[in-house]
Amino acid sequence: MNLNDSELLARAESWAKAGRGVAIATVIETWGSAPRPVGSHLVIDSEGNFEGSVSGGCVEGAVVAEALEVIESGQPRNLEFGVADETAWRVGLSCGGKIAVRVEPLT
Amino acid sequence: MKLALLSALNARIAAREATILVTEMATGSTRLVTPEEVSADPLADALHEAFRTGKSGLTEGGSAFLNVHLPPVKLIVTGAVHISQALAEMARLAGLDCTIIDPRTAFATPKRFPNVTLLAEWPDQAFTRVKPDRFTAFVALTHDPKIDDPGLVAALKARCFYIGALGSRKTHAKRVERLQSQGFTADETARIHAPIGLDIGAVSPPEIAVSILGEIISAMRAKRRTA
């Protein structure tokens, strides 16, 4: 199912109310060609379930991994992905753009 | 972010109320700002601009992130006519949430209007369920003042971002007279796009639907969101 960003936030709320740990990832900045606009969300729960998208599939795996640590620690993180990034060889954006993603725990 | 803040944000989104979620990057603190609260906020200028453009982003210098939540655009049409059949289809493709209102049950049949909310009732009755608001485009297509006028009255009062009415200049002049006799000012009636649609020389109903949708999108992207 493809949820829009409003539906994703509602999903995050219902997950948290069901007692799961939840993190919300948000695209806060993009440079060049980026697949998802600023404000797009990926929501993740403590079991690794996720909905939404911050990059159309390129870096979601990495964001989910970071999100699990964010849920654990309760501390937000700012992440960057792009071709100039060393990690790009592993989890870069094929479109050549660059994105900044903030991952925030729901407390 | 606190769960209570997310719940409050979700409640505002569900109620179609424009809201910005502000995240201070240095401290991580978050807050909701409504259009009414903008001028009292330390980030007033950036918030005002964000409500106007609908664009989320970091403020200058990157000290705060503004996530703008504006209601999805609704299209309400009076008249289950030939043009509306094409318009409903096209609006759906463009991502607008379309409702057709027409009390004439011979016109308003689900067979003629698949995949769209169809209310076979008078506008005043229909508007108790589908409320026009600032994020609504209203289009009057019946040519019948008994149906179109109550729709136009509701749309003007709700300050819909786009209001259009089908009819010649002569028909529209009479319509303006009727609305002004009901207390609307010349400035208010001037908000009605008539003759409706972009001037692309449209002839057939689907072509007219394109010109109407084009005019709606132009209003949606340029003039809407003056918070």
Side-chain angles (χ1 to χ4, degrees), chain A residues 9 13 29 104-107, chain B residues 1 3 7 10 56 58 67:
Chain A
L9 293 179
E13 182 183 346
E29 205 169 3
E104 219 173 301
L106 199 55
T107 52
Chain B
M1 182 169 39
L3 176 56
S7 301
N10 284 338
S56 299
L58 290 164
N67 208 350

Side-chain angles (χ1 to χ4, degrees), chain B residues 142-204:
Chain B
T142 68
H143 283 301
D144 182 344
K146 289 199 301 300
I147 303 169
D148 282 349
D149 282 11
L152 290 166
V153 167
L156 285 168
K157 282 186 181 158
R159 300 194 52 76
C160 292
F161 77 90
Y162 174 89
I163 304 173
L166 191 68
S168 65
R169 283 189 172 78
K170 210 167 139 197
T171 311
H172 187 60
K174 284 188 201 144
R175 181 186 289 137
V176 166
E177 251 172 55
R178 289 194 305 274
L179 290 168
Q180 290 185 352
S181 76
Q182 289 191 48
F184 288 103
T185 64
D187 278 353
E188 285 172 313
T189 55
R191 295 196 53 236
I192 302 172
H193 292 260
I196 198 170
L198 299 176
D199 185 5
I200 55 171
V203 175
S204 69

Side-chain angles (χ1 to χ4, degrees), chain A residues 57-100:
Chain A
C58 307
V59 302
E60 270 68 13
V63 175
V64 169
E66 295 274 353
L68 292 173
E69 292 174 27
V70 164
I71 293 170
E72 187 75 23
S73 70
Q75 295 302 315
R77 280 186 197 180
N78 295 319
L79 314 171
E80 275 189 24
F81 300 96
V83 284
D85 196 305
E86 205 179 295
T87 62
W89 298 108
R90 287 180 283 131
V91 287
L93 295 173
S94 56
C95 54
K98 193 172 142 194
I99 61 171

Side-chain angles (χ1 to χ4, degrees), chain B residues 18-42:
Chain B
T19 310
I20 294 178
L21 171 66
V22 180
T23 305
E24 299 284 355
M25 299 304 284
T27 60
S29 81
T30 47
R31 66 178 184 276
L32 300 182
V33 180
T34 68
E36 297 75 36
E37 292 164 347
V38 166
S39 40
D41 196 282

Side-chain angles (χ1 to χ4, degrees), chain B residues 115-152:
Chain B
N115 310 318
V116 59
T117 308
L118 183 65
L119 302 175
E121 41 194 62
W122 290 91
D124 284 339
Q125 191 186 354
F127 286 156
T128 60
R129 285 190 282 144
V130 184
K131 287 190 173 49
D133 59 25
R134 293 227 318 272
F135 302 95
T136 300
F138 174 77
V139 172
L141 297 181
T142 68
H143 283 301
D144 182 344
K146 289 199 301 300
I147 303 169
D148 282 349
D149 282 11
L152 290 166

